[in-house]
């Protein structure tokens, strides 16, 4: 339990929320009929999320929710015509006139895509041009696909790394360091289901196949109450539903991977499917080459992603969806060779990946009451196996070594939204989750082929936890356009007879000063019931997912943010935002601690009760209309940590405490068949810890002693790397063929060949001095990936 | 086809080619501190290694013991000076016993004091050891099974170190066996988290068996029988060590496992835990019992 003092504070907060909700419920329902329904794409039937709807007569408005549903009560005198205007970026606006509205009416609005498809759109906040939301960026699949990509493989995470307040971590990785947070503090969801470790290829590419994605939203502040479980951000990715009218698809080939997707109706206008597959194919080349070089050798790496979605409209009030994702990385290296006496065999296989399945049901109880219920399963696991066999005449020796680590959960999440009137909306829901952790199961045995003559040490750890969450909130919009949203979550977490209850209040207020100027302020409290350790920065599967326990309790974060948004007359949107975050009860592995080979008392390896703070200012100018489109952003930020058992208890900078960060992304339409995009990133360098002194001590090695070189390190993260910057550029050439649209992509990553560091190491360099004297010099070196590189891709869309 | 394969392979290699360039990073000169090291049986003549730290960019290798240092040990209120014998600083006439506290004091060149202190553990409980030669073959290496048994006293946590020294006699010449190390699958040892470092001595505490009689199986790459092997002498030693000794050598194992890291870029910063105040290293005395087993193959 949280301490009594905190409980009293939290209880008073909850009382305020309860009073607010009761007040909302007591809002006089407008005696008028409600118009509700869904907004979707006229061709494919895809639901359009966060589309704007407003009443032409009154300028009152609303937007579709995260499932494409809206409800609006005009409140006009009976007999007056009701004119709704519906807008969505990339689509032609539409109007709907309803005469003699006598009862609640359900409508389905279908928008046509714009005649000139804007190649890129980035939306900060809501899409409709109404009030903005603090700390949120929304990307469509179009934006993601248009920007330069490594090996021709567009990546959602890479594009978000170009937005203010988000650091990428080490060169080329898929880490998201959001406002001073670490990658384990991001809740990453696909169709409302959490995914863990979304990294392929050491973090160079994420698990999201852009062909399967409809839209995504990164929330850094002003968190809606239905989101929680992580401290720093929520990345909410929605899969496309599938075309209800006709079959379409695309095929893409890049330097490193191939993608194929197909979607269409199962029964026209009633049910649809989407299937999307991506595979990395380097192993198809490397494997035969390795065998050719040394027969019997095997080496390879591959990954794949499979997305499947099925949707069915049962009737006007009911729609169900089924989502499936399976992705895996696999490396293998080994050999099998015949010797004079027998055979030698060695094979090391590493696999890691996610599987998720979700069943979702949207139900309309009435024109004002919408519900969304999800039942999901998600699992992430790492499986490292080492097998060897040596046979020698009649003797055979077999060893097997397996390390298994993972996490899984089953969860039920029903939620509702009730539209009391155009100005007032309340929502609530519960989330019940059973979660298991297998942080480090290790088995090792030796056998002579007939029996195990030495049982290895088997270490199996299974931890089970139960999480129950209630969330609730309400949003009021005043006639002047100001909105106030109050909400909260009650997070309960049970593990090993230990019970935690943590309230998470959320407050968000937008102020609409005039048609061009909005301001906002928000306060969030977040908690995280699990700790993810390991070398997050290089994205290799060495992460361990561990639950909070009695000795390492859930981590907490409080954030206050405020900002302005100004929409100029020439289509540019200027935003600025200030934030301050405070972390508490953080946990990280102590210096030198390792979870390898299993350990009963793994909690002792952690330094707990850590604190941290992060604060900064973000500025962004976005152009969504005209040509070119894109954005420029600048972030000034600071992030630091403090642990009693690390750095002698002194405050130290976070590794990705990057003071200045500038991002430029631009998309230019050259003509009807060609467009250009570029991305330039700059940051002032990240932090590292270096050895500053060395000494020698005697170390016994059996019956002899050698002098071992030892190091004394600087204070944690005392040093700073040089600034990082890189320019990527990409050209897309389109050609409309009879039955498909062909796109050829040609680009360059790191156009001016900037050597940005991925790792540092020391080396001894021999130099020549005056009179040809030799001398040695110890030098710090940096290792960089991604020199000047070409980027080629080919795709067809039919 | 081959050209196509080569094209894609070249493209892929180009994609992931790493570049290495020097970095002009100014690492300020850190304060030079004293290094002291002594880890031995309390009833052997005390020998202490004393040196200074060097800047990380200093290309000079091991400089040896710092003969200019001035050092003392303090026992029962008596200050005994340490004399440099050309290799180490030695203290003669130190008559410390189990249960005593012995302090080391080093006066640095700048006048600074470095202090360390060790409490000699109580006498080690007698142990028995059974060795079964060539009990296990793993990856072409023969391991002998070593069964260590002893009684652990109850009370505060006790720390131990177990070592084996092997002397092989072949054709009338004595020679050592070379590099050898322990393996164990017993939970007591696995829980110490040092198996992956191929330890040459086994460090463990009595956290899992405090106050009990314990018998721990281990495997040691002891020796293998050849035609020229005449005799093998195995000396086993069970030491009662201090907590500082235990922490130091456990962290040393981890450090040595990662020490190539600063030369390869794949390690996280990690310093070895010592007990030298205002300095680095370890000052520790232990008690031990030894057992000798001889194997005659003549």
């Amino acid at each position: 339990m949280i301490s009594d003092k905190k409980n009293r504070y939290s209880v008073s907060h909850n009382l305020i929320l309860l009073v607010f909700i009761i007040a909302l419920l007591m809002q006089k329902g407008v005696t008028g009929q409600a118009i509700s329904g869904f907004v979707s794409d006229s061709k494919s039937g895809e639901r359009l999320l966060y589309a704007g709807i407003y009443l032409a007569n009154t300028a009152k408005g609303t937007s579709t929710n995260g499932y494409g549903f809206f409800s609006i009560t005009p409140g006009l005198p009976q007999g007056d015509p009701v004119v709704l205007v519906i807008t969505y970026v990339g689509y032609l606006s539409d109007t709907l006139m309803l005469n003699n509205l006598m009862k609640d009416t359900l409508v389905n609005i279908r928008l046509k895509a714009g005649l000139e498809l804007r190649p890129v759109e980035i939306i900060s906040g809501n899409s409709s041009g109404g009030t903005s939301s603090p700390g949120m960026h929304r990307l469509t699949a179009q934006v993601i696909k248009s920007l330069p990509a490594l090996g021709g493989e567009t990546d959602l995470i890479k594009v978000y790394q170009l937005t203010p307040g988000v650091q990428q971590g080490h060169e080329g990785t898929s880490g998201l360091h959001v406002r001073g947070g670490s990658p384990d503090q991001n809740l990453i969801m696909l169709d409302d289901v959490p995914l863990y470790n979304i990294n392929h290829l050491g973090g160079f590419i994420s698990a999201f196949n852009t062909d399967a994605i409809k839209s995504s939203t990164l929330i850094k502040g002003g968190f809606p109450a239905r989101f929680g479980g992580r401290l720093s951000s929520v990345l909410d990715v929605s899969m496309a539903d599938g075309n209800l009218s006709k079959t379409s698809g695309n095929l893409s080939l890049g330097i490193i991977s191939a993608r194929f997707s197909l979607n269409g109706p199962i029964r026209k206008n009633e049910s649809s499917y989407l299937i999307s597959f991506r595979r990395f194919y380097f192993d198809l080349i490397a494997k035969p080459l390795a065998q050719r070089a040394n027969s019997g050798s095997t080496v390879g790496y591959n990954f794949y992603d499979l997305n499947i979605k099925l949707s069915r409209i049962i009737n006007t009030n009911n729609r169900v969806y089924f989502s499936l994702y399976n992705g895996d990385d696999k490396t293998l290296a080994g050999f099998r060779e015949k010797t004079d006496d027998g055979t030698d065999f060695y094979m090391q296989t590493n696999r890691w990946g996610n599987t998720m399945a979700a069943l979702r049901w949207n139900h309309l109880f009435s024109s004002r009451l919408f519900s969304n219920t999800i039942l999901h399963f998600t699992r992430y696991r790492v499986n490292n196996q080492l097998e060897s066999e040596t046979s020698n005449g009649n003797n055979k020796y077999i060893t097997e070594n397996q390390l298994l680590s993972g996490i899984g959960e089953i969860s039920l999440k029903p939620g509702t939204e009730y539209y009391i009137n155009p100005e007032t909306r309340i929502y609530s829901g519960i989330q019940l989750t059973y979660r298991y952790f297998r942080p480090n199961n290790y088995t090792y045995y030796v056998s002579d082929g007939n029996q195990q003559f030495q049982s290895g040490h088997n270490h199996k750890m299974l931890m089970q936890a139960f999480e129950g969450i209630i969330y609730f909130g309400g949003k009021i919009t005043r006639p002047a356009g100001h909105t106030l949203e109050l909400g909260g979550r009650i997070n309960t977490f049970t593990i090993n007879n230990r019970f935690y209850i943590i309230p998470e209040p959320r407050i968000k207020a937008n102020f609409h000063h005039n048609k061009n100027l909005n301001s906002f302020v928000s306060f969030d409290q977040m908690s995280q019931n699990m700790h993810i350790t390991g070398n997050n920065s290089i994205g290799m599967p060495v992460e361990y997912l561990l639950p909070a326990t009695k000795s390492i309790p859930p981590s907490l974060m409080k954030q206050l943010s405020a900002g302005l948004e100004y929409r100029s007359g020439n289509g540019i949107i200027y935003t600025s935002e200030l934030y301050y975050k405070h972390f508490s009860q953080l946990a990280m592995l102590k210096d030198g601690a390792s979870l390898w080979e299993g350990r009963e008392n793994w909690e002792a390896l952690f330094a707990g009760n850590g604190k941290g703070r992060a604060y900064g200012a973000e500025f962004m100018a976005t152009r969504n209309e005209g040509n070119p489109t894109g954005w420029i952003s600048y972030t000034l930020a600071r992030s630091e940590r403090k642990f009693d058992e690390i750095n002698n208890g002194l405050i130290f900078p976070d590794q990705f405490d990057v003071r200045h960060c500038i991002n430029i992304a631009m998309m230019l339409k050259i003509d009807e068949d060609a467009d250009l995009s570029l991305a330039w990133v700059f940051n002032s360098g990240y932090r590292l810890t270096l050895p500053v002194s060395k000494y020698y001590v005697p170390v016994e090695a059996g019956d002899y002693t050698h002098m071992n070189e030892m190091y004394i390190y600087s204070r944690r993260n005392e040093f700073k790397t040089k600034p990082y910057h890189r320019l990527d550029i990409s050209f897309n050439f389109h050609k409309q063929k009879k039955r498909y649209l062909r796109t050829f992509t040609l680009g360059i990553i790191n156009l001016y060949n900037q050597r940005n560091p991925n790792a540092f190491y020391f080396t001894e360099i021999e130099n020549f001095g005056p009179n040809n004297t030799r001398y040695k010099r110890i030098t710090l070196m940096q290792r960089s990936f991604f020199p000047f590189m070409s980027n080629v891709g080919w795709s067809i869309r039919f | 086809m081959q050209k196509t394969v080569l094209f894609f392979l070249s493209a892929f290699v180009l994609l992931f080619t790493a570049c290495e360039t020097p970095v002009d990073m100014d690492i300020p000169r850190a304060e030079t501190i004293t290094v002291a090291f002594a880890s031995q049986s309390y009833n052997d003549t005390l020998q202490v290694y004393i040196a200074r730290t060097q800047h990380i960019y200093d290309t000079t290798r091991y400089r040896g013991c710092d003969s200019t240092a001035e050092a003392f040990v303090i026992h029962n209120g008596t200050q005994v000076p340490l004399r440099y014998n050309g290799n180490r600083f030695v203290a003669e006439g130190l008559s410390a016993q189990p249960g005593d506290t012995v302090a080391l004091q080093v006066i640095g060149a700048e006048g600074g004091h470095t202090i360390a202190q060790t409490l000699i553990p109580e006498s080690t409980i007698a142990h028995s050891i059974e060795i079964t030669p060539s009990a296990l073959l793993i990856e072409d290496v023969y391991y002998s099974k070593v069964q260590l048994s002893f009684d652990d006293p109850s009370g505060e946590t006790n720390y131990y170190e177990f070592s084996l020294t092997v002397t092989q006699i072949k054709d009338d010449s004595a020679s050592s066996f070379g590099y050898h190390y322990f393996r164990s699958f017993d939970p007591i040892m696995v829980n110490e988290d040092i198996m992956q470092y191929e330890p040459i001595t086994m460090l463990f505490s009595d956290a899992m068996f405090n106050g009990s009689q314990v018998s721990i199986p281990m495997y040691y790459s002891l020796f293998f029988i050849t035609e020229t092997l005449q005799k093998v002498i195995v000396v086993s030693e069970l030491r009662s060590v201090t907590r500082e000794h235990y922490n130091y050598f456990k962290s040393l194992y981890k450090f040595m496992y990662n020490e190539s890291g600063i030369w390869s870029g794949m390690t996280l910063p990690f310093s070895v835990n010592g007990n030298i105040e205002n300095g680095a290293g370890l000052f520790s005395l232990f008690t031990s019992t030894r057992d000798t087993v001889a194997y005659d193959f003549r």
Side-chain angles (χ1 to χ4, degrees):
Chain A
M1 297 284 284
I2 302 298
S3 70
D4 283 343
K5 188 175 173 182
K6 287 181 183 172
N7 263 342
R8 283 198 292 271
Y9 173 78
S10 304
V11 164
S12 65
H13 253 237
N14 287 338
L15 278 175
I16 293 170
L17 280 171
L18 192 59
V19 167
F20 177 72
I21 299 298
I22 293 171
L24 282 179
L25 286 169
M26 290 174 67
Q27 285 273 319
K28 199 171 175 183
V30 174
T31 52
Q33 286 65 41
I35 305 167
S36 58
F38 296 91
V39 178
S40 47
D41 180 290
S42 63
K43 283 190 177 173
S44 67
E46 285 277 354
R47 296 258 169 98
L48 300 178
L49 316 181
Y50 308 108
I53 300 116
Y54 63 93
L55 293 163
N57 313 18
T58 67
K60 286 182 191 174
T62 186
S63 61
T64 57
N65 65 10
Y67 308 102
F69 173 79
F70 76 94
S71 179
I72 187 166
T73 309
L76 298 176
Q78 237 177 18
D80 279 13
V82 176
V83 179
L84 289 182
V85 180
I86 307 99
T87 64
Y88 192 69
V89 282
Y91 287 77
L92 299 174
S93 298
D94 198 6
T95 53
L96 176 70
M97 181 180 286
L98 295 163
N99 292 311
N100 289 324
L101 192 66
M102 302 295 286
K103 57 178 180 177
D104 290 350
T105 303
L106 196 63
V107 296
N108 277 315
I109 299 167
R110 291 177 172 264
L111 295 184
K112 287 182 185 170
L115 288 174
E116 286 194 7
L117 273 177
R118 295 191 185 111
V120 294
E121 299 289 351
I122 179 163
I123 306 109
S124 274
N126 288 332
S127 63
S128 61
T131 55
S132 303
S133 292
M136 184 169 71
H137 299 292
R138 191 166 291 137
L139 295 176
T140 61
Q142 278 181 315
V143 179
I144 300 163
K145 286 182 179 179
S146 63
L147 285 171
L150 180 68
E153 191 57 47
T154 54
D155 189 67
L156 167 80
I157 301 295
K158 292 284 184 289
V159 179
Y160 275 115
Q161 289 173 348
L162 297 173
T163 56
V166 181
Q167 298 296 331
Q168 72 167 14
H170 286 290
E171 166 85 314
T173 61
S174 286
L176 282 177
H177 298 258
V178 180
R179 290 184 172 176
S182 49
D184 62 296
Q185 295 173 357
N186 305 313
L187 176 65
I188 297 174
M189 301 201 298
L190 182 63
D191 274 1
D192 286 326
V193 181
L195 295 180
Y196 301 93
N197 193 336
I198 56 160
N199 296 309
H200 288 314
L201 202 60
F204 296 141
I205 293 170
S206 74
F208 295 111
N209 179 354
T210 46
D211 288 344
I213 290 170
K214 177 161 60 180
S215 71
S216 64
T217 306
L218 177 69
I219 306 171
K220 307 177 297 189
F223 295 94
R226 71 184 183 99
F227 292 124
R230 302 289 187 278
L231 301 184
S232 283
S233 79
V234 174
L235 179 60
D236 184 19
V237 182
S238 298
M239 263 206 276
D241 299 332
N243 195 321
L244 279 168
S245 306
K246 73 176 188 103
T247 301
S248 62
N250 41 284
L251 170 68
S252 303
L253 291 175
I255 291 177
I256 60 174
S257 62
R259 304 195 306 268
F260 172 72
S261 78
L262 192 66
N263 69 96
I266 299 173
R267 188 176 276 192
K268 202 168 181 179
N269 295 323
E270 200 175 298
S271 55
S272 66
Y273 72 95
L274 167 90
I275 180 164
S276 190
F277 184 75
R278 173 175 67 173
R279 193 192 193 281
F280 177 75
Y281 45 54
F282 174 68
D283 62 316
L284 299 177
I285 303 166
K287 213 167 169 179
L289 285 176
Q291 284 175 345
R292 213 167 174 183
N294 184 4
S295 78
S297 291
T298 299
V299 64
Y301 169 79
N302 72 70
F303 70 79
Y304 72 86
D305 297 295
L306 172 66
N307 294 77
I308 295 175
K309 189 153 181 188
L310 305 172
S311 75
R312 171 141 156 73
I313 302 170
I314 298 171
N315 53 43
T316 49
N317 293 337
N318 293 282
R319 187 167 184 175
V320 292
Y321 304 85
F322 172 74
S323 306
L324 176 79
Y325 168 77
N326 179 244
D328 228 21
D329 285 63
K330 181 179 176 182
T331 69
L332 60 92
F335 64 85
R336 181 186 292 275
E337 62 182 18
K338 288 199 181 310
T339 62
D340 291 337
D341 300 335
T343 311
D344 272 347
F345 167 74
Y346 172 92
M347 183 64 67
Q348 179 160 6
T349 311
N350 301 318
R351 300 182 76 120
W352 65 98
N354 289 280
T355 299
M356 80 87 167
L359 196 58
R360 178 154 61 92
W361 173 39
N362 285 167
H363 176 63
L364 286 181
F365 288 95
S366 71
S367 58
R368 298 172 198 254
L369 184 58
F370 169 86
S371 78
N372 179 60
T373 302
I374 303 168
L375 175 67
H376 82 241
F377 164 77
T378 183
R379 181 273 277 148
Y380 169 75
R381 64 93 181 83
V382 175
N383 187 348
N384 297 334
Q385 272 187 305
L386 176 60
E387 298 168 274
S388 70
E389 181 181 320
T390 302
S391 62
N392 186 350
N394 292 329
N395 299 321
K396 190 185 280 191
Y397 303 98
I398 301 169
T399 60
E400 262 194 42
N401 182 329
Q402 183 184 45
L403 174 69
L404 195 62
S405 169
I407 183 173
E409 67 180 52
I410 298 173
S411 183
L412 177 65
K413 300 192 287 193
T416 59
E417 289 179 37
Y418 181 58
Y419 297 78
I420 299 174
N421 54 47
E423 290 88 21
T424 313
R425 177 167 69 95
I426 60 172
Y427 50 86
S428 65
I430 59 174
Q431 297 170 358
L432 305 171
T433 304
Y434 162 77
R435 189 175 291 132
Y436 68 84
F437 297 83
R438 283 204 179 91
N440 197 11
N441 287 4
Y442 179 71
T443 57
Y444 178 88
Y445 80 88
V446 178
S447 163
D448 66 356
N450 294 319
Q451 59 179 359
Q452 287 184 12
F453 63 84
Q454 170 56 49
S455 280
H457 169 65
N458 293 338
H459 176 84
K460 292 190 189 303
M461 211 188 329
L462 173 68
M463 292 178 281
Q464 301 176 82
F466 180 76
E467 194 176 86
I469 290 167
I470 300 173
Y471 71 86
F472 48 85
K475 183 175 179 178
I476 299 178
T477 304
R478 302 316 304 160
H482 310 312
T483 64
L484 174 66
E485 190 167 349
L486 285 185
R489 288 163 71 90
I490 308 290
N491 172 16
T492 67
F493 180 69
T494 306
I495 184 166
N496 293 341
N497 299 320
R498 179 77 185 169
F499 177 72
Y500 288 99
I501 177 166
I502 304 171
E504 297 180 24
R506 310 278 170 86
I507 305 166
K508 196 161 62 174
N510 290 336
F511 303 99
H512 182 66
H513 302 285
N514 54 53
K515 67 172 185 177
N516 295 326
L517 183 64
N518 301 293
S519 63
F520 41 77
V521 65
S522 71
F523 172 79
D524 305 291
Q525 179 159 313
M526 311 284 281
S527 67
Q528 183 165 321
N529 297 333
M530 68 176 70
H531 306 287
I532 304 174
T533 70
N535 197 339
N536 295 317
S537 60
I538 63 170
M540 293 302 285
V542 292
E543 292 178 348
Y544 298 99
L545 297 106
L546 299 158
T549 62
K550 182 180 173 181
S551 51
I552 42 170
S555 301
L556 304 173
M557 188 279 290
K558 291 181 181 149
Q559 177 175 215
L560 183 64
S561 57
L564 291 172
E565 180 192 85
Y566 175 72
R567 292 171 181 260
S568 70
N570 56 4
I572 298 178
I573 304 170
Y574 300 91
T575 56
S576 65
E577 193 166 344
L578 305 175
Y579 66 88
Y580 181 87
K581 292 167 78 166
H582 180 264
F583 300 94
S584 57
Q585 296 178 180
L586 296 175
M588 62 189 290
L589 281 175
K590 295 177 186 172
D591 286 343
S594 166
L595 283 168
W596 179 252
E597 275 198 27
R599 188 187 173 113
E600 301 295 339
N601 57 335
W602 55 270
E603 293 158 275
L605 302 175
F606 279 82
N609 201 27
K611 292 181 176 44
R613 66 175 183 175
Y615 49 92
E618 298 166 6
F619 304 92
M620 187 171 186
T622 310
R623 189 170 193 233
N624 283 338
E625 300 167 352
N627 191 28
T629 55
W631 68 88
I632 299 174
S633 71
Y634 168 70
T635 306
L636 173 67
R638 191 182 186 109
S639 176
E640 44 196 36
R641 301 284 186 270
K642 182 179 185 301
F643 286 82
D644 290 340
E645 293 166 281
I646 296 173
N647 199 48
N648 298 318
L650 300 171
I651 294 173
F652 59 92
D654 181 55
Q655 187 180 11
F656 295 100
D657 171 35
V658 174
R659 193 69 65 244
H660 306 282
C661 186
I662 301 171
N663 295 306
I664 299 175
M666 188 191 78
M667 287 69 74
L668 174 71
K669 195 172 172 65
I670 300 171
D671 57 35
E672 286 302 315
D673 298 321
D675 48 74
L676 156 77
S677 64
L678 67 83
W680 184 73
V681 297
F682 169 90
N683 73 53
S684 52
Y686 60 87
R687 301 282 184 165
L688 70 159
T689 309
L690 292 174
V692 295
S693 302
K694 61 185 178 185
Y695 61 95
Y696 297 86
V697 285
V699 174
E700 283 180 41
D703 57 350
Y704 70 94
T705 302
H706 73 269
M707 301 307 289
N708 204 71
E709 188 173 279
M710 316 282 281
Y711 311 112
I712 295 176
Y713 284 86
S714 65
R715 287 192 304 272
R716 182 64 75 96
N717 297 331
E718 182 178 340
F719 293 92
K720 192 172 75 68
T721 66
K722 286 188 176 171
Y724 171 108
H725 51 98
R726 195 183 83 225
L727 175 65
D728 305 329
I729 191 167
S730 177
F731 291 90
N732 294 311
F733 304 98
H734 312 284
K735 191 171 181 77
Q736 184 65 53
K737 300 283 195 179
K738 194 174 174 185
R739 292 189 183 182
Y740 59 87
L741 174 69
R742 187 266 291 141
T743 300
F744 181 67
T745 299
L746 185 62
I748 296 172
I749 301 292
N750 198 2
L751 183 65
Y752 52 81
N753 200 23
Q754 173 64 20
R755 306 286 173 89
N756 293 307
N758 178 270
F760 291 88
Y761 64 97
F762 286 90
T763 192
E764 226 170 47
I765 295 177
E766 203 168 60
N767 279 330
F768 291 93
N771 301 323
N772 241 11
T773 52
R774 270 190 198 174
Y775 69 94
K776 287 185 181 177
R777 192 164 59 92
I778 293 177
T779 304
L780 181 65
M781 303 286 286
Q782 70 174 37
R783 186 176 293 125
S784 311
F785 289 120
F786 307 144
F788 173 97
M789 261 188 320
S790 67
N791 162 27
V792 177
W794 173 91
S795 67
I796 60 169
R797 193 173 76 212
F798 54 91
Chain B
M1 176 63 184
Q2 204 168 19
K3 281 186 184 171
T4 311
V5 166
L6 279 171
F7 169 75
F8 276 105
L9 194 59
S10 306
F12 186 77
V13 168
L14 190 63
L15 191 72
F16 290 107
T17 301
C19 311
E20 295 165 343
T21 49
V23 176
D24 184 19
M25 183 77 75
D26 178 30
I27 299 179
R29 190 158 287 277
E31 183 190 344
T32 301
I33 60 174
T34 298
V35 179
F37 183 85
S39 175
Q40 61 172 78
S41 174
Y42 77 97
N43 55 10
D44 290 340
T45 302
L46 180 64
Q47 296 193 55
V48 184
Y49 165 83
I50 298 174
R52 309 275 181 210
T53 56
Q54 301 162 224
H55 190 264
I56 191 67
Y57 283 152
D58 188 338
T59 56
T60 312
R61 292 274 185 227
Y62 169 57
R63 290 174 178 157
C65 214
D66 178 11
S67 58
T68 64
E70 199 177 332
F72 308 88
V73 284
I74 301 164
H75 173 240
N76 287 342
T78 303
Q79 192 167 283
V80 177
L82 292 172
R83 180 184 59 80
Y84 183 63
N85 69 358
N87 185 36
R88 293 286 185 268
F89 285 82
V90 297
E92 284 156 6
L94 183 68
S95 57
Q97 296 298 318
D100 289 353
T101 297
V102 180
L104 170 73
Q105 187 174 19
V106 180
I107 299 171
E110 298 81 29
H113 285 63
T114 305
I115 294 172
Q117 171 164 295
T118 184
L119 170 65
I120 302 172
E122 293 298 330
S123 297
T124 312
I125 306 302
H127 68 282
S128 70
I129 173 169
E130 288 176 34
I131 297 178
T132 309
S134 303
L136 186 67
L137 175 66
I138 302 175
E139 295 168 0
D140 290 336
V141 177
Y142 280 97
Y143 292 82
S144 297
K145 184 176 177 181
V146 180
Q147 192 84 25
L148 169 68
S149 305
F150 66 98
D151 291 327
D152 178 63
S154 58
E156 287 187 1
T157 304
N158 297 304
Y159 301 91
Y160 299 99
E161 185 174 25
F162 181 71
S163 76
L164 289 174
T165 309
V166 178
T167 305
Q168 294 185 89
I169 298 171
K170 298 178 183 178
D171 297 331
D172 295 321
S173 64
S175 61
S176 65
F177 181 61
Y179 183 68
H180 34 67
Y181 54 90
F182 282 95
R183 295 182 89 124
S184 179
F185 310 106
D186 188 275
I188 293 170
M189 296 305 184
V190 173
N191 208 45
E192 296 294 341
D193 261 352
I194 59 171
M195 285 301 114
Q196 64 271 32
Y197 308 130
E198 296 182 341
I200 54 174
T201 62
M202 292 292 263
L203 278 163
F204 57 100
S205 74
D206 65 355
M208 293 179 73
F209 58 89
N210 185 267
S212 310
Q213 192 180 58
V214 67
S215 184
I216 307 171
M218 293 172 273
Y219 294 87
Y220 192 65
S221 54
L222 201 59
F223 56 83
F224 58 91
I225 301 168
T226 65
E227 286 180 1
T228 59
L229 187 65
Q230 296 197 2
K231 191 174 182 179
V232 173
I233 301 169
V234 179
V235 178
S236 67
E237 184 176 356
L238 179 65
R239 302 168 183 165
S240 290
V241 300
T242 61
R243 188 182 65 177
E244 291 77 21
H245 176 115
Y246 169 84
N247 288 335
Y248 178 88
F249 281 99
K250 279 193 76 173
S251 59
L252 179 66
Y253 273 127
K254 289 173 183 167
F255 176 85
M256 286 170 61
Y257 186 77
N258 286 311
E259 73 173 338
S260 63
I262 77 157
W263 305 99
S264 72
M266 295 300 289
T267 191
L268 294 173
F270 173 63
S271 298
V272 174
N273 303 321
N275 69 337
I276 311 295
E277 213 173 296
N278 302 322
L282 175 73
F283 179 63
S284 162
L285 301 175
F286 53 78
T287 58
S288 68
T289 57
R290 291 191 177 119
D291 190 18
T292 303
V293 176
Y295 296 86
D296 204 323
F297 297 101
R298 277 178 287 221

